[in-house]
Amino acid sequence: MANDNYQSWGRTIKCNRAATEWQADALADAQGSLLPFGNGKSYGDSCHNDAGTLLDNRNHKDVLEFNPETGVLRAQTGILLCDILEHILPHGWFLPVTPGTQFVTLGGAIANDVHGKNHHRAGTFGRHVNCFEIARSDFGTQICSPDRHSELFDATIGGLGLTGNITWAELRLMKVASADIDQQIIRFSNLENYFALAGEADRNNEYSVAWIDSHATGRGFGRGLLLNGNHADNGNLTYQVSKPRISVPFTPPFSLINGLALRAFNQLYYHKQRKVESNDRVACSSYFYPLDGIGNWNRLYGPKGLYQHQCALPVENAETVVADLLKACQKAGQGSFLTVLKRFGNVPSPGLLSFPREGFTLTLDFPNSGARTLALMHQLDQITVQAGGAVNPYKDARMSAVTYQASFPRWQELERLRDPVLMSDFWRRVTLKS
Ligand SMILES: Cc1cc2nc3c(=O)[nH]c(=O)nc-3n(C[C@H](O)[C@H](O)[C@H](O)COP(=O)(O)OP(=O)(O)OC[C@H]3O[C@@H](n4cnc5c(N)ncnc54)[C@H](O)[C@@H]3O)c2cc1C
């Protein structure tokens, strides 16, 4: 099977991919290199293996066990997070951590050790995994947990799919009284104000994240909206997988996200919030997954796609460095479309190479304008690394080996535990070529 269903979200890398459905003997019988594939919601090449074959897990999506008393769920790893939510919410349980899209598989969430708007309280996804079964080419199938094959357990959480194919996983869920979210939006007028608000917002709320108008200059530099949230107590426990309200039916011949549209959108979004503070009750899909409301929104970036740059920065210098990163974008005349700033808490992840670390994380999205975008991204990498930070591998499609290795100095430990038949384009790029 070779087709374009295996594109990643950024759509910057084009080619046909060979793929086969995951089967128990796939690794033992491997001809050439393989890589587990979830649902392609990573932005770049960490879910690609163009010299080999992808192992598609999406048909393996059953809930194997669920205890509504204890909130422990065991499922095959091809299941999407939205399907887990549909199964568990009527019983008063929620995902302990969810990323910004519900269309991610359980396997992908573990392999990237994803984070959500509650990182300051819950840490990463991997922290809530009791155990999983993993299949390897060299020593077959094993069950791993913090007490059993713990080295492989830790390396697999955030292990970018390189340590084996996870076939099922067991997760501890979070008890909630409602699917609805009591949302508080606070408008802040510059970056300094955000940093003054962030700590208290985290102390008082289960969820907190900020959107930044990356185009604003002068006194409004770094202005934005802080979106805090807590589960309501109204007992509404229904969840329907939110079908996109509208969908982008085809890829336009050029990016619709251009300089003018970027500036206008950012201004409008900021001014949409008229009061300094507002409080509403909203459906959880609108709080957690606003972008899922527009099907295939990545097509708006045209045939060249988009790059995302996400960095994690130490607490000590985060305010200065976030300002430096935003200024670099403005100076390059390439403001980001969607800019998100969030504090990462100090809850440790079991993952050997998990991306989140205590401090702040800034996420920037850019239409791919070729060499000038790549030059800007490289500059953002340098600012990040010099500040002692890290660049996120599963949002990346182009970082250098030097940037990756500075971001994840323990990468050789993962290489030692890598299944010898598993390989990704990303891993080839950042570890095998220097
Ligand atoms: C709109 C949007 C918002 C997002 N928001 C966030 C966010 O808030 N926080 C965040 O952390 N991420 C976020 N992401 C990124 C996304 O959550 C991650 O990239 C996620 O891991 C993708 O999962 P996937 O199922 O699509 O897997 P893929 O992208 O297909 O694969 C991801 C990795 O998992 C491996 N893998 C997949 N299945 C298995 C398996 N069964 N066994 C072993 N390895 C496996 C693959 O080899 C690959 O390395 C967002 C992405 C989008 C598009």
Side-chain angles (χ1 to χ4, degrees):
M1 188 173 13
N3 61 45
D4 207 32
N5 279 340
Y6 298 93
Q7 188 57 276
S8 60
W9 190 248
R11 305 173 76 248
T12 49
I13 308 157
K14 306 272 182 296
C15 81
N16 286 333
R17 309 216 138 78
T20 182
E21 188 177 322
W22 159 252
Q23 290 168 20
D25 53 4
L27 290 170
D29 295 347
Q31 307 283 320
S33 66
L34 300 170
L35 184 73
F37 188 83
N39 201 30
K41 293 293 183 272
S42 299
Y43 276 68
D45 54 356
S46 67
C47 60
H48 287 162
N49 176 26
D50 283 352
T53 305
L54 296 173
L55 293 172
D56 190 333
N57 280 273
R58 286 175 288 194
N59 278 339
H60 302 267
K61 54 184 179 187
D62 291 341
V63 171
L64 303 174
E65 273 176 48
F66 170 54
N67 183 334
E69 301 299 317
T70 60
V72 172
L73 171 120
R74 184 178 287 195
Q76 291 179 311
T77 48
I79 192 169
L80 294 175
L81 297 187
C82 54
D83 294 329
I84 296 184
L85 280 172
E86 233 177 11
H87 197 91
I88 62 175
L89 246 168
H91 302 277
W93 295 97
F94 201 76
L95 292 165
V97 168
T98 179
T101 172
Q102 63 198 311
F103 303 124
V104 157
T105 62
L106 177 57
I110 296 172
N112 282 339
D113 198 14
V114 297
H115 55 273
K117 298 176 172 69
N118 60 350
H119 184 274
H120 55 282
R121 291 212 177 156
T124 59
F125 195 89
R127 233 188 118 242
H128 307 273
V129 173
N130 280 344
C131 56
F132 51 72
E133 183 186 78
I134 192 163
R136 287 186 56 111
S137 67
D138 44 6
F139 43 85
T141 297
Q142 283 187 344
I143 295 182
C144 301
S145 73
D147 311 313
R148 214 167 151 189
H149 305 295
S150 60
E151 197 185 25
L152 188 55
F153 181 80
D154 293 356
T156 300
I157 292 177
L160 303 171
L162 296 166
T163 58
N165 196 86
I166 315 164
T167 50
W168 57 256
E170 192 178 280
L171 198 59
R172 292 184 306 281
L173 304 168
M174 176 170 74
K175 190 79 187 154
V176 293
S178 175
D180 295 340
I181 296 291
D182 285 335
Q183 173 180 260
Q184 177 194 44
I185 305 183
I186 300 175
R187 203 176 66 191
F188 52 89
S189 50
N190 56 42
L191 202 57
E192 202 184 330
N193 286 359
Y194 165 76
F195 278 93
L197 290 168
E200 197 188 331
D202 281 3
R203 276 190 293 283
N204 296 340
N205 298 287
E206 174 71 28
Y207 304 106
S208 184
V209 69
W211 166 83
I212 305 278
D213 175 358
S214 66
H215 293 258
T217 52
R219 286 169 54 191
F221 177 73
R223 70 184 182 183
L225 306 176
L226 187 60
L227 307 161
N228 297 326
N230 293 288
H231 285 274
D233 55 7
N234 65 353
N236 171 24
L237 294 171
T238 50
Y239 186 79
Q240 271 201 319
V241 178
S242 49
K243 298 271 178 299
R245 290 184 300 279
I246 44 169
S247 204
V248 183
F250 59 88
T251 307
F254 51 85
S255 173
L256 300 178
I257 314 286
N258 52 37
L260 222 62
L262 285 170
R263 189 173 294 277
F265 166 81
N266 276 265
Q267 281 222 7
L268 277 172
Y269 196 72
Y270 180 73
H271 288 293
K272 187 180 80 134
Q273 174 69 18
R274 289 173 191 278
K275 298 190 219 149
V276 172
E277 182 186 327
S278 67
N279 292 280
D280 288 299
R281 186 161 286 181
V282 297
C284 67
S285 52
S286 113
Y287 183 77
F288 293 109
Y289 315 122
L291 293 169
D292 289 348
I294 307 171
N296 299 316
W297 60 261
N298 52 349
R299 288 182 180 162
L300 292 173
Y301 286 85
K304 291 187 190 158
L306 77 148
Y307 285 113
Q308 187 168 98
H309 191 276
Q310 183 178 14
C311 62
L313 301 166
V315 183
E316 305 77 62
N317 52 5
E319 188 170 342
T320 318
V321 182
V322 168
D324 289 347
L325 292 164
L326 293 175
K327 279 180 199 157
C329 301
Q330 292 187 348
K331 198 165 168 214
Q334 298 183 71
S336 144
F337 183 44
L338 276 177
T339 307
V340 175
L341 183 55
K342 155 115 201 93
R343 201 171 74 93
F344 278 151
N346 60 7
V347 186
S349 166
L352 170 66
L353 291 193
S354 295
F355 165 68
R357 52 209 71 192
E358 189 177 8
F360 286 81
T361 180
L362 179 72
T363 309
L364 302 151
D365 275 354
F366 303 98
N368 175 13
S369 307
R372 55 191 285 265
T373 313
L374 290 172
L376 171 62
M377 306 277 285
H378 183 61
Q379 196 190 347
L380 301 178
D381 289 351
Q382 286 179 320
I383 297 172
T384 301
V385 167
Q386 271 163 22
V391 180
N392 187 338
Y394 56 89
K395 303 289 185 73
D396 179 70
R398 43 86 246 155
M399 80 167 95
S400 68
V402 171
T403 299
Y404 177 71
Q405 293 175 19
S407 299
F408 294 88
R410 295 177 68 190
W411 66 271
Q412 275 154 318
E413 292 175 54
L414 178 60
E415 173 60 15
R416 186 172 54 80
L417 290 163
R418 179 169 66 84
D419 183 312
V421 310
L422 297 185
M423 180 50 72
S424 67
D425 292 345
F426 175 82
W427 199 248
R428 239 177 236 115
R429 177 160 58 80
V430 299
T431 68
L432 303 188
K433 293 181 206 159
S434 326

